[in-house]
Amino acid sequence: MLLMPVTAWILVTVVFFLMRVVGDPISAAMGGRLPPDQIEARKAAAGFNRPILSQYWDYISGLLRGDFGRSQDNRAISEVVTTYGAATLELVFWALVVAFAVGVPLGRYAATHRDSTTDAGLRLFAVLAYAAPVFFVGLLLKLVFAVKLGWLPVAGRASTHVELALQHVSPKTNIMVVDAILYGDTGYLLDVLKHAVLPAIALGLLTAGIFLRLVRINLIQTLRSDYVEAARARGLSSRVVTGRHAVRNALIPIITVMGMYIAMMLGGAVLTETTFEWKGLGYQLTQYLQARDFVAVQGIVAFIALVVAVMSFVVDAIVAMVDPRVRF
């Protein structure tokens, strides 16, 4: 818990000074489009002509008050995070579902069929899933399932008429699945789920490959342990021994590193959202980068840093509850 604010502070500080290396956001965005005197006037109004340490202190002070700054179009970053963060949260959730649904069963199968042709094929699949760029996998999925077969939508979080209808849901959560359920239209819910399939697979396969290898390695080690041999000696079937005893312990390492993988998914969400025009926090971050809106970029990255720090703490707490060896 004590490391949470330290981690967030280091990340925010690094991002702040790296963004300042390329200059102030006013000159970066307006250089060559406005006369030098107008640029200097805007810099003075925004406080970018002050010493860098003074700007840093004001920025950190604002973060402590919950003020992430304002974008160049005078929009509060906290509003941007609230609006678009829900979309990224929804995407990461579906990606985790895919990662667990694919990685854990395949890892279990590979461990119970160790050194077979299937095991070798699954290990190769895990390496490819982890190594393949998210945007490349996304483009392939779009070409096959959206363009060629026409089974699923190409991009977006929902069809245009569905998005317009869900704007009037009350209370609006900005999570399309929840909003569709609140709206009460099954057709709208199916449309939202269909739009989530390809982005979730593109992002989820990245982590599924890691889960597959982790489950396989840890399950092989667990199956050699004494208590598993004792369970077999009592006459329990291999299926019961593997399912009830070995798999649970093999999942502990996955829970342990879950915080790191959620952080990796948030990074992958930037590419996934851009590829599928999934208008979440990652998509909005690319828009601000293209516009050279450094204040908005800093605010979004600061929020992501806080999320990663909190998730790391939550995962550590869950591991302590699941695995008594951590507590003692």
Side-chain angles (χ1 to χ4, degrees), residues 7 19 157 171 182 191 208 225 227 287 290 314 325:
T7 303
M19 298 300 289
R157 298 180 64 196
L182 293 175
D191 181 82
S225 59
Y227 75 92
Q287 301 300 308
Q290 291 174 4
V314 170
R325 292 172 298 180

Side-chain angles (χ1 to χ4, degrees), residues 173-218:
T173 64
N174 291 315
I175 300 177
M176 283 290 186
V177 172
V178 176
D179 289 343
I181 293 174
L182 293 175
Y183 194 86
D185 191 308
T186 305
Y188 286 2
L189 178 60
L190 291 175
D191 181 82
V192 170
L193 291 175
K194 286 173 62 177
H195 279 78
V197 172
L198 293 184
I201 293 175
L203 184 57
L205 284 179
L206 173 69
T207 310
I210 302 172
F211 285 0
L212 193 160
R213 293 181 64 85
L214 278 176
V215 170
R216 178 187 177 276
I217 293 171
N218 287 280

Side-chain angles (χ1 to χ4, degrees), residues 35-85:
D37 57 337
Q38 292 189 22
I39 291 179
E40 290 299 323
R42 293 196 179 196
K43 286 170 59 177
F48 291 121
N49 58 348
R50 300 169 57 207
I52 187 68
L53 291 180
S54 298
Q55 296 181 45
Y56 173 71
W57 174 253
D58 290 343
Y59 181 63
I60 294 297
S61 302
L63 288 181
L64 294 176
R65 298 192 304 269
D67 181 10
F68 289 87
R70 305 187 74 86
S71 61
Q72 289 181 3
D73 55 2
N74 201 32
R75 188 177 184 184
I77 304 303
S78 56
E79 179 188 347
V80 174
V81 168
T82 303
T83 304
Y84 296 98

Side-chain angles (χ1 to χ4, degrees), residues 76-145:
I77 304 303
S78 56
E79 179 188 347
V80 174
V81 168
T82 303
T83 304
Y84 296 98
T88 300
L89 176 65
E90 183 179 9
L91 175 59
V92 170
F93 172 79
W94 290 124
L96 280 173
V97 171
V98 171
F100 274 105
V102 174
V104 175
L106 292 183
R108 173 178 173 175
Y109 189 86
T112 54
H113 296 76
R114 183 185 178 188
D115 296 330
S116 65
T117 303
T118 305
D119 178 31
L122 289 175
R123 280 184 286 166
L124 178 61
F125 165 76
V127 172
L128 291 176
Y130 176 74
V134 175
F135 67 88
F136 177 71
V137 175
L139 289 174
L140 286 181
L141 291 173
K142 288 172 68 172
L143 286 173
V144 175
F145 295 102

